[in-house]
Amino acid sequence: MPRQLNFNRTGQRITMYQTGQRWSSRNEPDLGVGMIVDKQNKSFTLHFPDAESDRQYSNDQTSLVRRTLTVGDQLHYQDETFTVLEVEDVNDLIEYRISEDDDWLEESLIQFPRNDKNELDSLLALSPARRMWFDLRRHTLEHQAENAASEVRGLMGLKAELLPHQIYLAHDIANRPKARALLCDEVGMGKTLEAGLILHQRLLNGLCKRALILTPTNLQHQWLVEMLRRFHQPFALINDAVYADYMEGDDNPFEQQPFVIAPIDWASQHPNATQHMLEAEWDMIIVDEAHHLAWHPDTPSISYQVVARLAAQTESLLLLSATPEQTGEREHFSRLQLIDADHYHDFEHYQVQQNTFKQAAELAEALLPFTQENHPANALDWQNLFSEYLSEVNAKEWFQTLTTQQGDAVSDAAKEAISWLIDRHGTGREMFRNTRAAVGGFPERFVHTYPLENNEFFESANRHVQPETEVADGLWEKDPRWSWLKEFLECQADKVLVICHTADMAQWLNDQLTFAGFQSADFHEQMPLIHRDRAAAYFADEDGAQILVCSEIGSEGRNFQFSHHIVMYDLPEHPDLLEQRIGRLDRLGQLNDVQIHVPYIKQSVQERLFHWYHHALNAFCRTTGSGDKVEEAFGDSLHAYLTGQDDDTDLLAEAFAYHEALLKQMEEGRNRLLEMSSCRPEQARALIDQINNQATKGLHHYIEQVTHAFNIYADCINDDPDQAAWFLRPSTDMMLEALPGIDEDGKMLMLDRRQASQRENVAFATWEHPLITMLMDEVQGFDSGKLTSAILPIGALPEGTVLVESMFVIEATAHPRLKLAQSLPMTPMWQLSDSNGKFLHQQFTADKWAEKLKGVPNRVAEQWVAALRKNLIEVLQSHQLNAQDQARPIVHAAKTAYQHRCQNEIERLVELKAFNNTIRDEDIELLETNMQEGLTRIDEHQIRLDAIRIILTTKP
C-alpha cells in the first residue's frame, strides 16, 4: 500500500487528524494513549480509555504526540496478543500486519500497549542536551508531584486576598463528587470569587473541561473580567451581538468554545441559541442572580425551564443568589430542586425538615455565647435544650462537660457541641450562606450630601435622571455638579473614585480634570482591557493618579479598597447598581470607613432618587438585598414621586417601614447554624495556612532555572523568595513560540499575593499560573532534555570513569474523580551508579550532587554516548530493576494512605447517616466503589524511564 503524505507550501508535512488515530498528550501524560473519536471542522475529541476521560483539541494544537507501533512490537486484539510484522500508513491511519496470512488490523481496533521495547535505546539515540536539563526535569517532576498531592490544589492561584469563608466554602463544594450547591452569601461577600474558585479547582484537578456561566445582561462583562483577572481563565462571551459571528456552517457556537458566558435572558429567549446551548455538553453550569428564575407550579418561566434541562444533564451546578428566599419559600424550594431533584421531591417534607433544622439553629444560637472566652457564668439547662438529642449526646464527653463543669472547659465543649450539630444537620447540605454579621471585618459607611442650585442650562435635571443627555456636550461645563466637583477635589489629599453612568461622561470628566491640573485617569467600557488595567494600576500606584473616573459598566468587577472616598456624580436607577458602586470600596480589606459623596441639583430627579435610596432604603449606609422588592411594592407611587408628579414624602416613610419589616423578617429567619456550617473558622485558617505555604514554595528559584533554559528574557526585580518579582518578556532566541499572558512588551510577575492583588498590571505567580504550568509542560515535552551529559572534576576516581544518573517515574492512570494523585502522584525516583552498576545515590542528595558537575560540549557528549552505548544499556537495565525496588515502599505507603483516607470518610458518613437523612446510601456506595477502583489502579502502576545523565570524571 503506498504511503499518502500531505505537505504545505514550505515543504512541511501537514498533520491530518482522522477518526481512529492514536495520540498521547505531552501536557497530561498520565492520561495514557487516546483515540480520536469525533472530528469537527476546527477541532477533534480524543478519548483516553485508561483515564475514562475525553479531551477536545483544536487542529492547530502542539501538545499531542502521534503514537504508533513498530515491527516487532506486540499488540492486543480481542484478548489475544500478536506481534507486528509490517506497518503501513493508509491515508493517515496506521494498519498492522499480524500474520503470515496477510491479516491486517487498523489502529482503531487494537488495544494499545505501552511501547517499552526500545525505550532505553531510543533515549540514547537523542542528541545530548546541556546538563542543567536533567536537574530541571527532576525539579519539574518534584514540584508537579507536590502540587498534585496537595489538598489545596486549585485554590492557590486566586489573585485576591484569601478570605476564610470563601476558601472553606470552595474547598468543601469543589471536593464533592458533584459540585452542586446554592451559594447565598450576602451582597459584597464574594459569591463570584467563590464560584470561580470552585470552577478553577475542578479545572486543575481534571474534573471540569467545559463550563457555561449564565448571568443577567448587566453582569456579563463583570464575569468576563473577573474570570480573567482573578483566575487567568479566558471565557468567550456569546450574546446577541456576536452569536451570528460564531456561526460557521452547521457548527454549534457553544460547542466551539469550552468556556462560555451568556446572558440568560437572551439565551433562553432565542430559540436557536437555546437549542445550541442545550445540545452542547457541559461539566459545570453557573447561574448568577438565580432568584430571577421565576417559578410557578403551572407556569415556570422559560429561563427556569432552560436551566432545569441544563441541570438535569450536567454534573455540577452552582446557583448564586444573595436573596434566595425573597420570592417566597415555594420558589426557593423550586431552585433547590434544580440542585437535587431526588432529595427535594416533596415540599411538605421539606418544610418538616426545615422546622427541625430551625430548632437546631436555635440551639446553636444558645451555645454560641458559651464559645467565647468571657462566656456567661450561669449555665443554661442543657438537659432540656438537648432533650430531642439526649439519646445521641448523653455519652459525649463534651455534653458531660457542658452539664457539669464551668470555666475554659465549657468554651471548648460548646464549640464541639456546635460542630456536632453542624455534622448532624449540615453535612451534604446544598445551601451555603455567609453574612457580614457572621464574618465581620467590614467598614462603616457614611454619606455626605451636597444640594446644588440649578441654572438655565440644566433645566432638564427636573425631568430626566441623566440631564446631560438633553444638553450639548459643549455646555456640560455649565453643570453645577462639575463646578462642585472641582472645588471638592481641590480640598482632597486622598485618592478619590468618581463614578458616573456613561463612558462619554467619564471620558469628558477625566479630560476636564486633567486640563484643570489634576492627576486623573478614566476607566470605561470603550477602552481596551489592557488600557483599563493600566488606568487601574496608575490609580493604585501610591505616586499615581489621585482620581479615577469610572463609568457604570466599565467599573464592574473592579475593587479599589485602597481608596475610601467615592463621589456619585450621578445616581443609578436601580438599588443593586448603587450597591455595586459602593462595593468597589466597601470590601473586606478596606482599612478605613467609606465616605460616600453625593452632589445633586435641587428639585431634580436625582434629588428625589437620593431621598428614595437614603430615607426609604437606607442604601448608602448599609447593604440591602431587598431594594428591588420594595420598589416593586411601591411601583406606581414611586414612579410618580421620582418624575415629580407627586411630592408626597409620606411615601418615603411608608417604604421605610415596609423595608424595615422585610429586614426584620429576614433577620428572624436568619439561620445561624447554616451560617456556621458555611464556614468553620479553624478549618478555614488551616486551609489558608496550607495555601500560603505551598502556593509559591520554591517558585522563585524555578523561574530562574526555567527562563534560563528556554532563553526567556527575565529580570529579577526583588530577590527575596517570599516577595520575589520578575519582569519577563519574549527574547529573539526564545525556544518557545509564545508566553501565555505576556506580550512583546513583557509583564511583571509577583510572588506576593497582597502586592499583586493591589496592582492590575502585574500577574500573581503561583504554581497554578498558566505561564508556570505551560513552562513545566514544555520541560516535560522537550525530548532532547531526556539525555544530558556532564563532567565531574575529582581526584578520588580515575580519569575517564563513567557514572550514570537516571530518573524513573511512578505513574498510576485513573479518572480524576478517584483523587489518586493525592496519594500517588507522578513520582520521580533519582538514581546514581558507576558503570558496574554499583549504586551511589544514597551518599548524596540530588541537588548537592548536581553542584559538583560541569558542562561538556554537545559534540563530545555525542561521541561518549556512541562509544558507551552497549555498556550504558546494561547499566540502565540494572537501574530499571533497582527502580522497581525503590518504588515498592512508595507504592505501598500510597496505597495505605489512600485506603485510610477513603475508609475514614466512609466510616464518618456511615455514622452520620444514622441521624442525618441528607446522606444517602448511594453516596456511601460511590465512595466504596471509588476506593476499590483506586486501589486497583495503584496496583496497576507503571514505572517509566524519564531521563538519563552520563558523567565522565576528569582531573580537578
PDB file of all heavy atoms in Angstrom, residues 211-239:
ATOM      1  N   ALA A 211     -17.400  24.675  30.725  1.00  0.00           N
ATOM      2  CA  ALA A 211     -18.255  25.363  31.698  1.00  0.00           C
ATOM      3  C   ALA A 211     -19.055  26.464  31.009  1.00  0.00           C
ATOM      4  O   ALA A 211     -18.570  27.126  30.094  1.00  0.00           O
ATOM      5  CB  ALA A 211     -17.415  25.952  32.826  1.00  0.00           C
ATOM      6  N   LEU A 212     -20.289  26.638  31.487  1.00  0.00           N
ATOM      7  CA  LEU A 212     -21.191  27.676  30.981  1.00  0.00           C
ATOM      8  C   LEU A 212     -21.633  28.540  32.152  1.00  0.00           C
ATOM      9  O   LEU A 212     -22.105  28.016  33.171  1.00  0.00           O
ATOM     10  CB  LEU A 212     -22.409  27.035  30.314  1.00  0.00           C
ATOM     11  CG  LEU A 212     -23.556  27.969  29.922  1.00  0.00           C
ATOM     12  CD1 LEU A 212     -23.119  28.933  28.816  1.00  0.00           C
ATOM     13  CD2 LEU A 212     -24.784  27.162  29.478  1.00  0.00           C
ATOM     14  N   ILE A 213     -21.483  29.856  32.028  1.00  0.00           N
ATOM     15  CA  ILE A 213     -21.933  30.803  33.052  1.00  0.00           C
ATOM     16  C   ILE A 213     -23.076  31.627  32.475  1.00  0.00           C
ATOM     17  O   ILE A 213     -22.915  32.296  31.452  1.00  0.00           O
ATOM     18  CB  ILE A 213     -20.785  31.724  33.496  1.00  0.00           C
ATOM     19  CG1 ILE A 213     -19.637  30.896  34.091  1.00  0.00           C
ATOM     20  CG2 ILE A 213     -21.282  32.731  34.523  1.00  0.00           C
ATOM     21  CD1 ILE A 213     -18.434  31.734  34.494  1.00  0.00           C
ATOM     22  N   LEU A 214     -24.226  31.570  33.120  1.00  0.00           N
ATOM     23  CA  LEU A 214     -25.404  32.326  32.706  1.00  0.00           C
ATOM     24  C   LEU A 214     -25.596  33.485  33.680  1.00  0.00           C
ATOM     25  O   LEU A 214     -25.688  33.272  34.897  1.00  0.00           O
ATOM     26  CB  LEU A 214     -26.640  31.435  32.687  1.00  0.00           C
ATOM     27  CG  LEU A 214     -26.599  30.266  31.691  1.00  0.00           C
ATOM     28  CD1 LEU A 214     -27.786  29.330  31.900  1.00  0.00           C
ATOM     29  CD2 LEU A 214     -26.582  30.786  30.257  1.00  0.00           C
ATOM     30  N   THR A 215     -25.650  34.698  33.158  1.00  0.00           N
ATOM     31  CA  THR A 215     -25.707  35.883  34.013  1.00  0.00           C
ATOM     32  C   THR A 215     -26.817  36.819  33.550  1.00  0.00           C
ATOM     33  O   THR A 215     -27.274  36.737  32.406  1.00  0.00           O
ATOM     34  CB  THR A 215     -24.378  36.664  33.957  1.00  0.00           C
ATOM     35  OG1 THR A 215     -24.327  37.422  32.731  1.00  0.00           O
ATOM     36  CG2 THR A 215     -23.187  35.738  34.011  1.00  0.00           C
ATOM     37  N   PRO A 216     -27.242  37.744  34.419  1.00  0.00           N
ATOM     38  CA  PRO A 216     -28.066  38.855  33.928  1.00  0.00           C
ATOM     39  C   PRO A 216     -27.269  39.651  32.891  1.00  0.00           C
ATOM     40  O   PRO A 216     -26.033  39.672  32.921  1.00  0.00           O
ATOM     41  CB  PRO A 216     -28.324  39.688  35.186  1.00  0.00           C
ATOM     42  CG  PRO A 216     -28.120  38.739  36.319  1.00  0.00           C
ATOM     43  CD  PRO A 216     -27.057  37.793  35.876  1.00  0.00           C
ATOM     44  N   THR A 217     -27.963  40.303  31.994  1.00  0.00           N
ATOM     45  CA  THR A 217     -27.289  41.032  30.910  1.00  0.00           C
ATOM     46  C   THR A 217     -26.287  42.053  31.441  1.00  0.00           C
ATOM     47  O   THR A 217     -25.186  42.187  30.913  1.00  0.00           O
ATOM     48  CB  THR A 217     -28.342  41.739  30.034  1.00  0.00           C
ATOM     49  OG1 THR A 217     -29.235  40.754  29.502  1.00  0.00           O
ATOM     50  CG2 THR A 217     -27.679  42.483  28.887  1.00  0.00           C
ATOM     51  N   ASN A 218     -26.634  42.749  32.522  1.00  0.00           N
ATOM     52  CA  ASN A 218     -25.757  43.812  33.011  1.00  0.00           C
ATOM     53  C   ASN A 218     -24.524  43.290  33.752  1.00  0.00           C
ATOM     54  O   ASN A 218     -23.642  44.069  34.118  1.00  0.00           O
ATOM     55  CB  ASN A 218     -26.533  44.757  33.939  1.00  0.00           C
ATOM     56  CG  ASN A 218     -26.993  44.070  35.213  1.00  0.00           C
ATOM     57  OD1 ASN A 218     -27.566  42.997  35.163  1.00  0.00           O
ATOM     58  ND2 ASN A 218     -26.752  44.692  36.353  1.00  0.00           N
ATOM     59  N   LEU A 219     -24.430  41.969  33.976  1.00  0.00           N
ATOM     60  CA  LEU A 219     -23.276  41.416  34.699  1.00  0.00           C
ATOM     61  C   LEU A 219     -22.369  40.568  33.824  1.00  0.00           C
ATOM     62  O   LEU A 219     -21.382  40.019  34.309  1.00  0.00           O
ATOM     63  CB  LEU A 219     -23.763  40.571  35.891  1.00  0.00           C
ATOM     64  CG  LEU A 219     -24.510  41.311  37.001  1.00  0.00           C
ATOM     65  CD1 LEU A 219     -24.908  40.348  38.103  1.00  0.00           C
ATOM     66  CD2 LEU A 219     -23.659  42.441  37.561  1.00  0.00           C
ATOM     67  N   GLN A 220     -22.685  40.443  32.530  1.00  0.00           N
ATOM     68  CA  GLN A 220     -21.887  39.545  31.681  1.00  0.00           C
ATOM     69  C   GLN A 220     -20.431  40.003  31.577  1.00  0.00           C
ATOM     70  O   GLN A 220     -19.506  39.179  31.624  1.00  0.00           O
ATOM     71  CB  GLN A 220     -22.522  39.423  30.293  1.00  0.00           C
ATOM     72  CG  GLN A 220     -22.755  40.739  29.577  1.00  0.00           C
ATOM     73  CD  GLN A 220     -23.516  40.568  28.269  1.00  0.00           C
ATOM     74  OE1 GLN A 220     -23.340  39.592  27.561  1.00  0.00           O
ATOM     75  NE2 GLN A 220     -24.363  41.538  27.944  1.00  0.00           N
ATOM     76  N   HIS A 221     -20.211  41.299  31.450  1.00  0.00           N
ATOM     77  CA  HIS A 221     -18.836  41.793  31.339  1.00  0.00           C
ATOM     78  C   HIS A 221     -18.092  41.670  32.663  1.00  0.00           C
ATOM     79  O   HIS A 221     -16.886  41.433  32.684  1.00  0.00           O
ATOM     80  CB  HIS A 221     -18.835  43.243  30.852  1.00  0.00           C
ATOM     81  CG  HIS A 221     -19.310  43.404  29.446  1.00  0.00           C
ATOM     82  ND1 HIS A 221     -20.610  43.762  29.151  1.00  0.00           N
ATOM     83  CD2 HIS A 221     -18.683  43.219  28.254  1.00  0.00           C
ATOM     84  CE1 HIS A 221     -20.754  43.815  27.827  1.00  0.00           C
ATOM     85  NE2 HIS A 221     -19.602  43.492  27.269  1.00  0.00           N
ATOM     86  N   GLN A 222     -18.819  41.841  33.772  1.00  0.00           N
ATOM     87  CA  GLN A 222     -18.182  41.690  35.079  1.00  0.00           C
ATOM     88  C   GLN A 222     -17.627  40.275  35.245  1.00  0.00           C
ATOM     89  O   GLN A 222     -16.498  40.090  35.708  1.00  0.00           O
ATOM     90  CB  GLN A 222     -19.184  41.989  36.199  1.00  0.00           C
ATOM     91  CG  GLN A 222     -18.595  41.770  37.592  1.00  0.00           C
ATOM     92  CD  GLN A 222     -19.584  42.088  38.694  1.00  0.00           C
ATOM     93  OE1 GLN A 222     -20.496  42.881  38.497  1.00  0.00           O
ATOM     94  NE2 GLN A 222     -19.409  41.484  39.850  1.00  0.00           N
ATOM     95  N   TRP A 223     -18.404  39.274  34.876  1.00  0.00           N
ATOM     96  CA  TRP A 223     -17.935  37.889  34.969  1.00  0.00           C
ATOM     97  C   TRP A 223     -16.744  37.658  34.045  1.00  0.00           C
ATOM     98  O   TRP A 223     -15.776  36.974  34.407  1.00  0.00           O
ATOM     99  CB  TRP A 223     -19.070  36.926  34.628  1.00  0.00           C
ATOM    100  CG  TRP A 223     -19.941  36.607  35.794  1.00  0.00           C
ATOM    101  CD1 TRP A 223     -21.070  37.272  36.187  1.00  0.00           C
ATOM    102  CD2 TRP A 223     -19.742  35.552  36.729  1.00  0.00           C
ATOM    103  NE1 TRP A 223     -21.590  36.684  37.310  1.00  0.00           N
ATOM    104  CE2 TRP A 223     -20.807  35.622  37.662  1.00  0.00           C
ATOM    105  CE3 TRP A 223     -18.793  34.546  36.875  1.00  0.00           C
ATOM    106  CZ2 TRP A 223     -20.922  34.725  38.727  1.00  0.00           C
ATOM    107  CZ3 TRP A 223     -18.906  33.650  37.929  1.00  0.00           C
ATOM    108  CH2 TRP A 223     -19.957  33.740  38.839  1.00  0.00           C
ATOM    109  N   LEU A 224     -16.828  38.211  32.845  1.00  0.00           N
ATOM    110  CA  LEU A 224     -15.736  38.047  31.880  1.00  0.00           C
ATOM    111  C   LEU A 224     -14.424  38.594  32.457  1.00  0.00           C
ATOM    112  O   LEU A 224     -13.374  37.941  32.396  1.00  0.00           O
ATOM    113  CB  LEU A 224     -16.087  38.775  30.584  1.00  0.00           C
ATOM    114  CG  LEU A 224     -15.178  38.536  29.380  1.00  0.00           C
ATOM    115  CD1 LEU A 224     -15.334  37.127  28.845  1.00  0.00           C
ATOM    116  CD2 LEU A 224     -15.490  39.551  28.279  1.00  0.00           C
ATOM    117  N   VAL A 225     -14.500  39.774  33.052  1.00  0.00           N
ATOM    118  CA  VAL A 225     -13.311  40.409  33.623  1.00  0.00           C
ATOM    119  C   VAL A 225     -12.809  39.643  34.838  1.00  0.00           C
ATOM    120  O   VAL A 225     -11.608  39.387  34.983  1.00  0.00           O
ATOM    121  CB  VAL A 225     -13.636  41.878  33.997  1.00  0.00           C
ATOM    122  CG1 VAL A 225     -12.520  42.480  34.837  1.00  0.00           C
ATOM    123  CG2 VAL A 225     -13.854  42.711  32.743  1.00  0.00           C
ATOM    124  N   GLU A 226     -13.717  39.252  35.724  1.00  0.00           N
ATOM    125  CA  GLU A 226     -13.305  38.581  36.954  1.00  0.00           C
ATOM    126  C   GLU A 226     -12.639  37.236  36.683  1.00  0.00           C
ATOM    127  O   GLU A 226     -11.646  36.884  37.318  1.00  0.00           O
ATOM    128  CB  GLU A 226     -14.516  38.374  37.873  1.00  0.00           C
ATOM    129  CG  GLU A 226     -14.981  39.625  38.574  1.00  0.00           C
ATOM    130  CD  GLU A 226     -14.006  40.090  39.643  1.00  0.00           C
ATOM    131  OE1 GLU A 226     -13.039  40.797  39.286  1.00  0.00           O
ATOM    132  OE2 GLU A 226     -14.178  39.750  40.819  1.00  0.00           O
ATOM    133  N   MET A 227     -13.179  36.461  35.768  1.00  0.00           N
ATOM    134  CA  MET A 227     -12.581  35.155  35.475  1.00  0.00           C
ATOM    135  C   MET A 227     -11.169  35.305  34.903  1.00  0.00           C
ATOM    136  O   MET A 227     -10.284  34.505  35.198  1.00  0.00           O
ATOM    137  CB  MET A 227     -13.462  34.379  34.487  1.00  0.00           C
ATOM    138  CG  MET A 227     -14.797  33.929  35.043  1.00  0.00           C
ATOM    139  SD  MET A 227     -14.686  32.838  36.497  1.00  0.00           S
ATOM    140  CE  MET A 227     -15.047  34.011  37.801  1.00  0.00           C
ATOM    141  N   LEU A 228     -10.963  36.342  34.103  1.00  0.00           N
ATOM    142  CA  LEU A 228      -9.645  36.551  33.511  1.00  0.00           C
ATOM    143  C   LEU A 228      -8.674  37.145  34.527  1.00  0.00           C
ATOM    144  O   LEU A 228      -7.540  36.678  34.659  1.00  0.00           O
ATOM    145  CB  LEU A 228      -9.764  37.467  32.291  1.00  0.00           C
ATOM    146  CG  LEU A 228      -8.477  37.674  31.476  1.00  0.00           C
ATOM    147  CD1 LEU A 228      -7.963  36.345  30.932  1.00  0.00           C
ATOM    148  CD2 LEU A 228      -8.714  38.653  30.332  1.00  0.00           C
ATOM    149  N   ARG A 229      -9.115  38.163  35.256  1.00  0.00           N
ATOM    150  CA  ARG A 229      -8.206  38.856  36.168  1.00  0.00           C
ATOM    151  C   ARG A 229      -7.886  38.029  37.396  1.00  0.00           C
ATOM    152  O   ARG A 229      -6.749  38.010  37.866  1.00  0.00           O
ATOM    153  CB  ARG A 229      -8.825  40.184  36.626  1.00  0.00           C
ATOM    154  CG  ARG A 229      -8.872  41.258  35.563  1.00  0.00           C
ATOM    155  CD  ARG A 229      -9.611  42.495  36.053  1.00  0.00           C
ATOM    156  NE  ARG A 229      -9.015  43.056  37.245  1.00  0.00           N
ATOM    157  CZ  ARG A 229      -9.599  43.062  38.448  1.00  0.00           C
ATOM    158  NH1 ARG A 229     -10.775  42.517  38.605  1.00  0.00           N
ATOM    159  NH2 ARG A 229      -9.016  43.614  39.483  1.00  0.00           N
ATOM    160  N   ARG A 230      -8.859  37.342  37.934  1.00  0.00           N
ATOM    161  CA  ARG A 230      -8.656  36.630  39.206  1.00  0.00           C
ATOM    162  C   ARG A 230      -8.128  35.215  39.025  1.00  0.00           C
ATOM    163  O   ARG A 230      -7.421  34.688  39.885  1.00  0.00           O
ATOM    164  CB  ARG A 230      -9.975  36.574  39.990  1.00  0.00           C
ATOM    165  CG  ARG A 230     -10.579  37.931  40.309  1.00  0.00           C
ATOM    166  CD  ARG A 230      -9.648  38.771  41.166  1.00  0.00           C
ATOM    167  NE  ARG A 230     -10.302  40.008  41.590  1.00  0.00           N
ATOM    168  CZ  ARG A 230      -9.691  40.976  42.246  1.00  0.00           C
ATOM    169  NH1 ARG A 230      -8.398  40.863  42.537  1.00  0.00           N
ATOM    170  NH2 ARG A 230     -10.332  42.066  42.587  1.00  0.00           N
ATOM    171  N   PHE A 231      -8.501  34.572  37.900  1.00  0.00           N
ATOM    172  CA  PHE A 231      -8.156  33.162  37.724  1.00  0.00           C
ATOM    173  C   PHE A 231      -7.383  32.880  36.435  1.00  0.00           C
ATOM    174  O   PHE A 231      -7.104  31.718  36.129  1.00  0.00           O
ATOM    175  CB  PHE A 231      -9.428  32.304  37.737  1.00  0.00           C
ATOM    176  CG  PHE A 231     -10.241  32.467  38.990  1.00  0.00           C
ATOM    177  CD1 PHE A 231     -11.351  33.303  39.020  1.00  0.00           C
ATOM    178  CD2 PHE A 231      -9.878  31.818  40.160  1.00  0.00           C
ATOM    179  CE1 PHE A 231     -12.091  33.477  40.172  1.00  0.00           C
ATOM    180  CE2 PHE A 231     -10.619  31.980  41.318  1.00  0.00           C
ATOM    181  CZ  PHE A 231     -11.720  32.806  41.330  1.00  0.00           C
ATOM    182  N   HIS A 232      -7.080  33.912  35.645  1.00  0.00           N
ATOM    183  CA  HIS A 232      -6.370  33.748  34.371  1.00  0.00           C
ATOM    184  C   HIS A 232      -7.117  32.787  33.452  1.00  0.00           C
ATOM    185  O   HIS A 232      -6.513  32.080  32.663  1.00  0.00           O
ATOM    186  CB  HIS A 232      -4.946  33.219  34.601  1.00  0.00           C
ATOM    187  CG  HIS A 232      -4.206  33.942  35.685  1.00  0.00           C
ATOM    188  ND1 HIS A 232      -3.726  35.216  35.529  1.00  0.00           N
ATOM    189  CD2 HIS A 232      -3.883  33.569  36.952  1.00  0.00           C
ATOM    190  CE1 HIS A 232      -3.130  35.597  36.651  1.00  0.00           C
ATOM    191  NE2 HIS A 232      -3.224  34.631  37.528  1.00  0.00           N
ATOM    192  N   GLN A 233      -8.447  32.787  33.558  1.00  0.00           N
ATOM    193  CA  GLN A 233      -9.260  31.870  32.766  1.00  0.00           C
ATOM    194  C   GLN A 233     -10.058  32.649  31.730  1.00  0.00           C
ATOM    195  O   GLN A 233     -11.041  33.317  32.065  1.00  0.00           O
ATOM    196  CB  GLN A 233     -10.210  31.074  33.662  1.00  0.00           C
ATOM    197  CG  GLN A 233     -11.055  30.046  32.916  1.00  0.00           C
ATOM    198  CD  GLN A 233     -10.191  29.021  32.212  1.00  0.00           C
ATOM    199  OE1 GLN A 233      -9.401  28.327  32.830  1.00  0.00           O
ATOM    200  NE2 GLN A 233     -10.318  28.938  30.901  1.00  0.00           N
ATOM    201  N   PRO A 234      -9.664  32.588  30.455  1.00  0.00           N
ATOM    202  CA  PRO A 234     -10.431  33.310  29.429  1.00  0.00           C
ATOM    203  C   PRO A 234     -11.750  32.617  29.114  1.00  0.00           C
ATOM    204  O   PRO A 234     -11.819  31.389  29.036  1.00  0.00           O
ATOM    205  CB  PRO A 234      -9.491  33.290  28.218  1.00  0.00           C
ATOM    206  CG  PRO A 234      -8.613  32.093  28.429  1.00  0.00           C
ATOM    207  CD  PRO A 234      -8.477  31.918  29.921  1.00  0.00           C
ATOM    208  N   PHE A 235     -12.786  33.388  28.952  1.00  0.00           N
ATOM    209  CA  PHE A 235     -14.105  32.894  28.549  1.00  0.00           C
ATOM    210  C   PHE A 235     -14.502  33.573  27.238  1.00  0.00           C
ATOM    211  O   PHE A 235     -14.071  34.691  26.950  1.00  0.00           O
ATOM    212  CB  PHE A 235     -15.158  33.219  29.614  1.00  0.00           C
ATOM    213  CG  PHE A 235     -15.310  32.167  30.675  1.00  0.00           C
ATOM    214  CD1 PHE A 235     -14.364  32.022  31.671  1.00  0.00           C
ATOM    215  CD2 PHE A 235     -16.405  31.314  30.673  1.00  0.00           C
ATOM    216  CE1 PHE A 235     -14.499  31.062  32.654  1.00  0.00           C
ATOM    217  CE2 PHE A 235     -16.557  30.341  31.647  1.00  0.00           C
ATOM    218  CZ  PHE A 235     -15.603  30.215  32.649  1.00  0.00           C
ATOM    219  N   ALA A 236     -15.313  32.892  26.462  1.00  0.00           N
ATOM    220  CA  ALA A 236     -15.916  33.501  25.283  1.00  0.00           C
ATOM    221  C   ALA A 236     -17.281  34.045  25.685  1.00  0.00           C
ATOM    222  O   ALA A 236     -18.061  33.365  26.361  1.00  0.00           O
ATOM    223  CB  ALA A 236     -16.065  32.475  24.171  1.00  0.00           C
ATOM    224  N   LEU A 237     -17.556  35.284  25.292  1.00  0.00           N
ATOM    225  CA  LEU A 237     -18.850  35.896  25.566  1.00  0.00           C
ATOM    226  C   LEU A 237     -19.737  35.703  24.340  1.00  0.00           C
ATOM    227  O   LEU A 237     -19.443  36.210  23.258  1.00  0.00           O
ATOM    228  CB  LEU A 237     -18.674  37.381  25.872  1.00  0.00           C
ATOM    229  CG  LEU A 237     -19.948  38.172  26.208  1.00  0.00           C
ATOM    230  CD1 LEU A 237     -20.636  37.586  27.428  1.00  0.00           C
ATOM    231  CD2 LEU A 237     -19.600  39.639  26.433  1.00  0.00           C
ATOM    232  N   ILE A 238     -20.812  34.941  24.497  1.00  0.00           N
ATOM    233  CA  ILE A 238     -21.758  34.707  23.398  1.00  0.00           C
ATOM    234  C   ILE A 238     -23.078  35.377  23.763  1.00  0.00           C
ATOM    235  O   ILE A 238     -23.763  34.973  24.703  1.00  0.00           O
ATOM    236  CB  ILE A 238     -21.962  33.203  23.131  1.00  0.00           C
ATOM    237  CG1 ILE A 238     -20.635  32.541  22.738  1.00  0.00           C
ATOM    238  CG2 ILE A 238     -23.004  32.991  22.035  1.00  0.00           C
ATOM    239  CD1 ILE A 238     -20.757  31.066  22.403  1.00  0.00           C
ATOM    240  N   ASN A 239     -23.413  36.406  23.010  1.00  0.00           N
ATOM    241  CA  ASN A 239     -24.677  37.119  23.215  1.00  0.00           C
ATOM    242  C   ASN A 239     -25.255  37.484  21.860  1.00  0.00           C
ATOM    243  O   ASN A 239     -24.752  37.052  20.819  1.00  0.00           O
ATOM    244  CB  ASN A 239     -24.470  38.341  24.111  1.00  0.00           C
ATOM    245  CG  ASN A 239     -23.383  39.268  23.580  1.00  0.00           C
ATOM    246  OD1 ASN A 239     -23.110  39.296  22.377  1.00  0.00           O
ATOM    247  ND2 ASN A 239     -22.761  40.022  24.478  1.00  0.00           N
TER     248      ASN A 239
END
